[in-house]
């Protein structure tokens, strides 16, 4: 599963150690260049030391997550707190995403006619996950819905950057140098067979640090749902965006314009001339400006809107006729999906860097995709219309 822990934290986890390293490395290389008498052996020794330091810095800066252990049946709860504190947000959020996983998988399986394969795992110190994947179905080429509960720890510099605290932490104050955290989320991607049926992705998560070294617990919510068609159908996009506009406006009139734009700005493939991965939806992160129960209710409503916002579009197009050329265009658009997920998506890169369960992390990738050299759609074609919508986000609802 692609479990994101807040964009400021992830930026620190991935950027801070590397940028510091570049400074050290640049200074070292400059010094080596100026010293005309430095032997090649000494150069190699210095370069090896820099590589060792880089690996050490990355290891120290990465969150620590225990290795998972496969289980034959899914526990009633993956939270350690389930028996002692039924009212905690940790337990409530896990229960919500487990219900959403059941409801969404049931609806998708009923339409496809094929069941999901399920894998479950736990970790010795608490937490675990459930991955459900439908592959090679009648309607969906690949569909997956993952739930994960994680207990881990992060370095104090990442915690300080994420929370804005100036308090000395970790080894600076003689205390243990890892900040305990909890994360729970649900993540899904669905890639249909028919090129006229859109791909859909959603991810909803809750993140919390424990009280540590005199610093109070911090928490936030994140998530979103977005759609990635290969061909534009205005009625489809009006229905999808309208469903999430209604959810947003039910909770806060500022949510829809803010989260819609956030989604358009997040799913950008920078090396493709800032082309968007798809046609947007909603996206939010680090949300803690209201009380936790209020934001939890918003997140829960977003999860419950998935089936009604998306499945009618697939039902309408799953049997549409299409040509080989249109199928190839779908495969090329899926290539863009792969590029974004592996290069830019914070959840995917976070999971790959921190030793998460690889099959769950890469579940989001399509079963098939395609790259052709320098493809330019014919002006005025449906393919060109889709590309324009990805380059210039539109208002659909």
């Amino acid at each position: 599963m692609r479990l994101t822990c807040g964009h400021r934290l992830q930026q620190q986890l991935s950027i801070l150690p590397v940028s510091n390293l570049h400074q050290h490395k640049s200074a070292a290389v400059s010094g080596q260049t100026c010293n005309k008498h430095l032997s090649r052996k000494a150069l190699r020794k210095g370069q090896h030391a820099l590589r060792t330091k880089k690996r050490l810095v990355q290891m120290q800066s990465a969150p620590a997550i225990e290795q998972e252990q496969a289980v034959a049946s899914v526990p009633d709860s993956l939270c350690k707190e389930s028996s002692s504190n039924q009212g905690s947000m940790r337990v409530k959020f896990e229960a919500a995403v487990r219900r959403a996983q059941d409801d969404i998988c049931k609806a998708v399986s009923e339409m496809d006619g094929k069941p999901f394969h399920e894998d479950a795992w736990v970790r010795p110190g608490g937490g675990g996950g459930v991955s459900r994947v439908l592959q090679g179905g009648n309607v969906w080429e690949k569909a997956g819905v993952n739930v994960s509960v994680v207990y881990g720890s992060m370095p104090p510099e990442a915690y300080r950057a994420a929370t804005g605290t100036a308090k000395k932490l970790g080894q600076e104050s003689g205390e243990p140098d890892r900040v305990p955290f909890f994360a729970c989320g649900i993540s899904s991607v669905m890639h249909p067979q028919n090129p006229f049926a859109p791909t859909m992705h959603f991810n909803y998560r809750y993140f919390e640090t424990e009280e540590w070294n005199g610093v109070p617990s911090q928490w936030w919510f994140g998530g979103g749902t977005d759609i990635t068609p290969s061909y534009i159908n205005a009625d489809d996009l009006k229905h999808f965006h309208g469903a999430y506009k209604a959810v947003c406006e039910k909770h806060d009139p500022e949510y829809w314009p803010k989260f819609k734009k956030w989604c358009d700005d997040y799913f950008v493939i920078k090396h493709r001339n800032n082309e968007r991965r798809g046609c947007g939806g909603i996206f939010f992160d680090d949300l803690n400006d209201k009380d936790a129960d209020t934001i939890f209710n918003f997140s829960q409503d977003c999860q419950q809107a998935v089936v009604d916002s998306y499945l009618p579009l697939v039902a309408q197009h799953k049997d549409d006729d299409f040509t080989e050329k249109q199928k190839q265009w779908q495969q090329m658009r899926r290539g863009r999906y792969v590029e974004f997920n592996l290069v830019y998506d914070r959840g995917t890169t976070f999971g790959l860097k921190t030793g998460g369960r690889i099959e769950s992390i890469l579940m989001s990738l399509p079963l098939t995709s395609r790259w052709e050299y320098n493809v330019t759609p014919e002006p005025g074609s449906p393919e060109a219309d889709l590309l324009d919508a990805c380059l210039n986000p539109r208002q659909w609802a």
Side-chain angles (χ1 to χ4, degrees):
M1 143 165 200
R2 298 186 303 123
L3 186 60
T4 315
C5 66
H7 72 278
R8 291 172 305 192
L9 171 60
Q10 290 190 60
Q11 288 169 346
Q12 287 298 317
L13 291 175
S14 60
I15 296 174
L16 180 62
V18 176
S19 63
N20 287 347
L21 177 66
H22 286 333
Q23 294 170 5
H24 292 305
K25 187 172 183 179
S26 297
V29 172
S30 176
Q32 292 162 0
T33 302
C34 294
N35 189 344
K36 303 298 184 180
H37 303 289
L38 193 61
S39 68
R40 290 183 179 179
K41 182 177 180 181
L43 275 171
R44 288 195 297 269
K45 183 177 180 180
Q47 290 168 350
H48 175 73
L50 285 169
R51 286 193 296 267
T52 302
K53 183 174 182 179
K54 178 179 179 180
R55 287 193 294 268
L56 180 62
V57 168
Q58 290 175 333
M59 290 171 62
Q60 291 173 338
S61 299
I65 300 174
E66 292 182 310
Q67 183 66 32
E68 71 274 358
Q69 299 174 354
V71 293
S73 59
V74 185
D76 291 337
S77 176
L78 297 165
C79 288
K80 294 188 293 187
E81 299 84 2
S82 60
S83 60
S84 60
N85 190 356
Q86 292 291 331
S88 77
M89 184 54 66
R90 299 181 179 192
V91 174
K92 288 165 60 176
F93 196 85
E94 188 216 356
V97 298
R98 295 278 291 269
R99 286 193 301 270
Q101 184 185 44
D102 288 343
D103 294 343
I104 294 166
C105 288
K106 181 175 183 292
V108 169
S109 185
E110 286 176 352
M111 182 180 294
D112 190 276
K114 185 174 180 177
F116 280 78
H117 170 81
E118 179 179 276
D119 288 323
W121 67 94
V122 296
R123 293 186 172 92
V130 183
S131 282
R132 293 179 184 169
V133 178
L134 189 161
Q135 186 167 288
N138 300 304
V139 177
W140 279 275
E141 181 182 274
K142 189 179 181 185
V145 187
N146 295 338
V147 163
S148 182
V149 172
V150 177
Y151 293 85
S153 63
M154 71 179 81
E157 63 270 19
Y159 176 87
R160 185 168 50 242
T163 60
T165 180
K167 182 179 177 63
K168 288 188 176 182
L169 305 171
Q171 293 178 344
E172 302 166 332
S173 60
E175 297 292 331
D177 62 350
R178 308 287 300 189
V179 184
F181 73 83
F182 167 91
C184 176
I186 182 171
S187 181
S188 173
V189 179
M190 300 190 183
H191 297 287
Q193 300 275 11
N194 195 298
F196 293 106
T199 286
M200 185 273 303
H201 156 263
F202 70 86
N203 180 294
Y204 292 95
R205 53 200 176 270
Y206 173 72
F207 192 90
E208 180 182 306
T209 62
E210 296 181 11
E211 183 178 353
W212 176 83
N213 190 24
V215 179
S217 171
Q218 303 285 331
W219 58 266
W220 58 85
F221 293 82
T225 305
D226 61 281
I227 195 164
T228 305
S230 298
Y231 288 92
I232 295 293
N233 183 301
D235 290 337
D236 289 352
L237 292 168
K238 181 179 179 180
H239 172 85
F240 177 82
H241 282 259
Y244 279 95
K245 181 180 181 181
V247 173
C248 287
E249 291 181 342
K250 173 184 173 183
H251 290 268
D252 189 321
E254 295 183 358
Y255 276 178
W256 169 248
K258 179 180 178 181
F259 296 162
K260 196 271 184 190
K261 184 179 186 303
W262 202 340
C263 187
D264 290 336
D265 292 342
Y266 176 73
F267 292 103
V268 175
I269 309 173
K270 297 177 183 178
H271 63 269
R272 294 287 188 179
N273 194 31
N274 290 328
E275 181 182 313
R276 273 68 179 177
R277 187 178 74 177
C279 290
I282 63 169
F283 179 88
F284 61 92
D285 209 351
D286 301 318
L287 198 61
N288 61 2
D289 58 342
K290 297 178 172 67
D291 68 85
D293 282 323
T294 297
I295 304 176
F296 168 72
N297 290 335
F298 169 63
S299 175
Q300 190 169 226
D301 283 353
C302 289
Q303 297 168 43
Q304 293 172 350
V306 167
V307 171
D308 290 340
S309 68
Y310 174 62
L311 262 62
L313 311 185
V314 179
Q316 183 176 348
H317 298 293
K318 64 184 178 67
D319 298 318
D320 287 359
D321 293 332
F322 59 87
T323 66
E324 181 61 27
K325 180 181 177 181
Q326 289 165 337
K327 184 66 177 178
Q328 290 176 359
W329 174 251
Q330 179 201 48
Q331 299 301 295
M332 285 186 280
R333 294 310 304 173
R334 287 191 177 162
R336 295 291 204 270
Y337 206 96
V338 172
E339 290 176 29
F340 176 84
N341 279 31
L342 292 182
V343 178
Y344 301 110
D345 184 72
R346 289 193 293 263
T348 301
T349 56
F350 179 77
L352 292 173
K353 289 178 180 178
T354 59
R357 186 175 185 269
I358 192 66
E359 291 299 328
S360 298
I361 296 167
L362 298 183
M363 176 276 294
S364 64
L365 301 183
L367 193 60
T368 61
S369 55
R370 184 183 184 95
W371 283 265
E372 291 187 14
Y373 180 75
N374 198 24
V375 173
T376 303
E378 182 180 348
S381 67
E383 292 80 7
D385 187 34
L386 183 279
L387 185 57
D388 177 75
C390 292
L391 288 167
N392 304 289
R394 303 174 187 176
Q395 296 295 328
W396 301 105

